[in-house]
Structures are given as structure tokens and as C-alpha cells.
Amino acid sequence: MTVLAARAAHLSPASHTAMPAIPAGRLPGTGLRAQMLWAARFRVLWLLAGFVGIALIALVRIVSLGFGGQAPERTSLAEAMVPPRGEITDRNGASLARAFPAYALWFDPKAMGDSGSPLVRSPQEVAGALKAIFPDIDEARMARRLASGKAGYLRRRLLPEEANRVFALGEIALEIPRETDRYYPQGTLAAHVLGYVVEEKGGQIGMEQVLEQRLAHPDTRTQPVALSVDVRVQGALEDELRKGMLATNAIGAAGIVLDVDTGEVMALASLPEFDPNTAGAAGAINVFNRATNGVYELGSTFKPLSIAAAIDAGVVRDLGKAWDATPVSVGRRTIKDLKPKGATLNVPQALVYSSNTVTARVADALGPERLRRTMIDLGMDRRPFIELPARGKPLWPQGDWSRVTNMTVSYGHGLAVTPLHLASAYAAMVNGGIWRPATLMKLAPADVPRGRRVFKESTSSRMRQMLRMISLYGTGKQADAPGYRVGGKTGSAEKAGVGGYNKTALVSSFAAAFPLDAPRYVVVIVLDEPKGTVASSFQRTAGYTAAPVVGKLVPRIGPMLGVQPDDARDVDISDLRYLVDKH
């Protein structure tokens, strides 16, 4: 048999055993490997189908948002890199107002759809749970708010731990959005200087309003704005002013610390205060600024200004001259001293003992026009010079001043001004005679205004002597602070009202400067309607109410402002002391 025949016989069907049957469900010619390949392909198909489904859902959502949703705000890269509102700092860089990321509590009644209640529990139960997190809320009012179904903020400025506790309540309708908020890290400190911010309205009442454009514009809000105030001095002023107000049961108070050479306000306070962190669109209570907007007859604090005008004009040359101190009759009015010190007084004695009669006679000799001109030069006839929008209009005697008007204005009646008016006037009286406008902006030396001359240098020197004598020998003794060479003048005036003066309501003030051998700062303290208490020896007058505030404040703020106590230095009053001692 040939090889080919043998191979053919080997491959013939007769030479092989029959093939077994293929099991049901098994593809012909498949093995384990083929089955795994088919399973893998099947899974890939399902995975692709899943991705396609998700993509379709996302596409539908995007289209729905594009047609019916709220479009996202467009923000440029430049705007995204800067704060939404500029920072305000004190003169040393301490933050007074800044933007910061915060949480809010928002009620969304449609969070669970339009059907049924948006809350899992009852409004009363949810309000009780919120009360446990925020003890200061009104639980009943919150329950009514939740039951009303009205969307809106329930609370702003949540702490992170408070936000976590709200989230743990499991109420979908209580949303906790993150937002940028305006924050005042010093709390109520300098509230009347700063003001506050209302969303969509911008800054309100304080420097927030004054600086609105600068704080909000993208080109300028990257740089902090430095104010003139020193947060340390501000804190000390508010603390001592509050103590003085509470100790005498006064209804309000105002205080100012002013740099006599630049006009920079180092501190400015009005009490009662408000909290800018809680002020909103509805406003806030106690926003009235007594320091710049309240006008008062400031009484005997005007006497040194009137005497300075007379010295400057040459009406008073001999300080030892005896002036008639008996009551003055002018028309139907009689001017008297509260505590007469004799039939005659010289000018230093008149200031030390606060004589109305001598001051009125000096003003009479000066004449109405010259005293009026001095008051105009000191800015007393117009609103105070300061950046704040809250600036009170003085109650200025109209027309030519009569003889009686001239006399009464000389000792602080018949003309009502703000405490800031008085502070700027005293700065001019002690700094060498130059009046400058007050400012709440930190000034570089080159930016200090030249001002205008109101008093001669020699007049200013004399007034420093006599102001120091008032604190050493007169009504300002309780304002003296050892080593700080404080000098100033008290003022106690009945408040004017309908039908005349209210004898039961006083405005007590003290205007001071320190250190008087080289004046740096003026301090003005005003108490509105102080009462006679144990703390004030049952007296309402300024020597017992306002002056002690200055005496406690100056030692606190002196070192902060670079003024150290020095018992070896003082104003030279050797040529005037005998004029007071001989009385």
C-alpha cells in the first residue's frame, strides 16, 4: 500500500469512534476560555450602557439649568483674587473691619418638594432644637417663622460647631450656605467711628459709608485703609467713659482724644454703643453719635476761649488787674456766680474759680464782633470738620450779637456745639494758636494741613499756664494725673428745653490737654444728665463727674501715646501763682 493510500485509509470515517453529543446551552466549538470571553464582552456592554445613561441624565440636567435655572455669576480672575470688601485697620494695623468666610442658617420651604411639610418634625420641635443651639433666640417666634413657610435667613454668622449641630438635626429645609460676611473683630469698640454694612446697600453711617467706593472697588479694596484711631486708646476711652457714665447714672456720654498738632482723632466714643456685627437692614439702636452729632451748651469750658480772645486782642494785658465780680445786670437778666469768691477777681482767679461775672465783663470789654469772629475762626458756626456723615449743626446766634448774647456766649450759654467742636478749639488754644480740621484718617507728616492761625503764640503760652492752674488749684483738681501735667476746664450747663432751661438736667464736661509743658493731646469728656451719686459725692457738676474720668484716663493712654510720666517736669507758672495764692 502506498503512503497516500495508507493516509486515506487512516482518515476515513470508518476508522474513528463517533463524536459525543453537544450539551444544551453550549455553543459549538466553545471551551472555558471562550465562555469567559463572552462574559467579559457582556459586562463591557452593560458598563458602556451605564455611562451613556449617566451622560444623558447630566445632559438633560445641564439643558434644564440652562433654560430654567439661575445662571452662575461671572467673576473675573482679578475679582476672585481680592476680598469682596476692603479691610479697615487702626493706625497700627490692628483689624477693625474685614471680610471673612462665614456660615448662615437659611430656611428653604421647598427643599422637599411642593408636597407636604418641608420639615421632618413639627415647627415647634425644630424651634426647640434650634433654641438648644442658639440660646438667645425667641423659641415661639422661631416656631412661627418656620410654620409660615416663608424662605429666608434664620440666622447669620454661625460658628463652625453651630453649623455642625444644625446639620446633625437632619432637617433638609435648614440649609447652611457659606458666604462672605463683614466682621468687626473688636465688637462694639469704635462702633460710631466704623458704622456697619448692609448687604446690597453698602456702608452705613460710619467710615464704612464714607469709604464705600474705596472699600468696594476692585482696584482699591486690596489695600487696607488705616484710620487715625489707636485701638488701645479707644478701648481705654470707652472703658473709663462707661465707668463714669454708670457711676453717675448719666443717660449718655461722649469722649474724644485728639492730636493737637495734626488734628488726628486718636479715639472717639459715644455711649450707649451698638454692635456693628448684629446691625442689619433694619438698622440698630443707639447709633446717634453724641461726639459729632449731638449739640450742647458746654458751659464754662468756653471761658478759656473767651479769655484767650481778650488776651489776643489786647483787652487783657495785666493779669493781676482786679475785675468786678459782683452780679451783672443786663436788661432783664442778671448774671451771677454759682459760688462767689469775693467782690473782685483777677483773670487767673476768674478761670480757677470759674467766675461767670468776670468772664462776662471781659467779653463786654472785648465786644460782640471780636468774640464772634474768634468763634467763627474756631469753626463754631458750622458743622464740625470730620469725615463722618453724622455732623451736628451748631445752634448759632443769628445776626449781630447783642450785648447779652456776647456775655452769655463767653461762658458757654446761648451757643450749642458738638464735643468735637470743643476739642478742635482747645487744640488750637494750646498748640501755639493754629486751628486744624479733625480727621479720622491716618496722616503722613507731609499730609498734615497747615491750618489757620487763631491765637498768637504768646497767648497760647499764657493759656497753657492758666489751664494748668485750674487743675492744680481750681475746679479741675480731680483731673490732675501726677507726672502728666494735665490742665483743663470744667463746664456744667443746664440743658435747654421747651420753655427755658431744665434745672434738673445738666450737661457736665471737661476739656483738657496734656502734657501742658509740650502739648500733645486734647481730651474732651461730656456726660449727659449725670446724677448726684455716692461716687460723685452727691454732686452733678463737672468737677465731680467729668473731671475724674480724665484723671483716670490720662495715665492709661499716656504711655500708649508715647507720653511718659515725669514728676521733674511741669509748666512754669511761677509768674502767675501768686495771683491765685493771694486770694
Side-chain angles (χ1 to χ4, degrees), residues 469-492:
M469 293 172 71
I470 295 170
S471 293
L472 290 174
Y473 310 121
T475 56
K477 288 180 180 179
Q478 294 198 52
D480 191 27
Y484 288 97
R485 295 89 75 194
V486 179
K489 184 70 185 77
T490 53
S492 305

Side-chain angles (χ1 to χ4, degrees), residues 284-364:
I285 59 173
N286 300 324
V287 296
F288 182 76
N289 191 337
R290 285 179 163 85
T292 66
N293 205 18
V295 292
Y296 312 93
E297 293 186 0
L298 295 173
S300 297
T301 57
F302 268 54
K303 289 173 182 174
L305 300 173
S306 302
I307 296 298
I311 293 175
D312 219 56
V315 171
V316 173
R317 296 178 181 273
D318 179 10
L319 293 179
K321 174 186 174 181
W323 290 76
D324 186 357
T326 59
V328 183
S329 296
V330 185
R332 294 178 296 175
R333 179 175 299 192
T334 299
I335 299 172
K336 299 181 290 186
D337 286 339
L338 181 64
K339 296 180 179 179
K341 290 292 183 178
T344 63
L345 294 173
N346 57 47
V347 166
Q349 289 172 335
L351 289 178
V352 167
Y353 303 129
S354 197
S355 172
N356 294 337
T357 57
V358 171
T359 304
R361 286 188 168 96
V362 170
D364 195 34

Side-chain angles (χ1 to χ4, degrees), residues 7-150:
R7 288 181 177 175
H10 177 75
L11 294 173
S12 66
S15 64
H16 290 277
T17 308
M19 293 180 65
I22 299 173
R26 191 168 180 181
L27 296 175
T30 60
L32 180 60
R33 183 175 178 182
Q35 290 182 359
M36 293 178 64
L37 181 60
W38 278 102
R41 289 174 178 173
F42 187 74
R43 290 169 185 165
V44 170
L45 288 174
W46 272 109
L47 188 61
L48 288 174
F51 277 121
V52 170
I54 293 173
L56 287 174
I57 294 172
L59 182 61
V60 171
R61 179 60 176 163
I62 291 171
V63 171
S64 66
L65 286 175
F67 286 99
Q70 181 178 0
E73 295 182 1
R74 294 187 176 183
T75 304
S76 68
L77 178 61
E79 289 183 347
M81 295 297 290
V82 299
R85 190 173 180 87
E87 183 179 11
I88 301 177
T89 72
D90 83 335
R91 63 185 305 106
N92 300 313
S95 181
L96 297 175
R98 66 188 308 175
F100 83 114
Y103 295 97
L105 179 55
W106 175 270
F107 178 55
D108 181 8
K110 297 186 180 297
M112 298 180 68
D114 295 330
S115 59
S117 171
L119 300 171
V120 177
R121 290 171 286 178
S122 69
Q124 291 74 21
E125 290 176 315
V126 175
L130 292 175
K131 175 72 173 179
I133 301 173
F134 310 108
D136 60 321
I137 68 171
D138 185 326
E139 185 175 347
R141 184 177 179 183
M142 179 62 72
R144 292 194 299 270
R145 177 75 175 79
L146 295 171
S148 69
K150 182 180 179 181

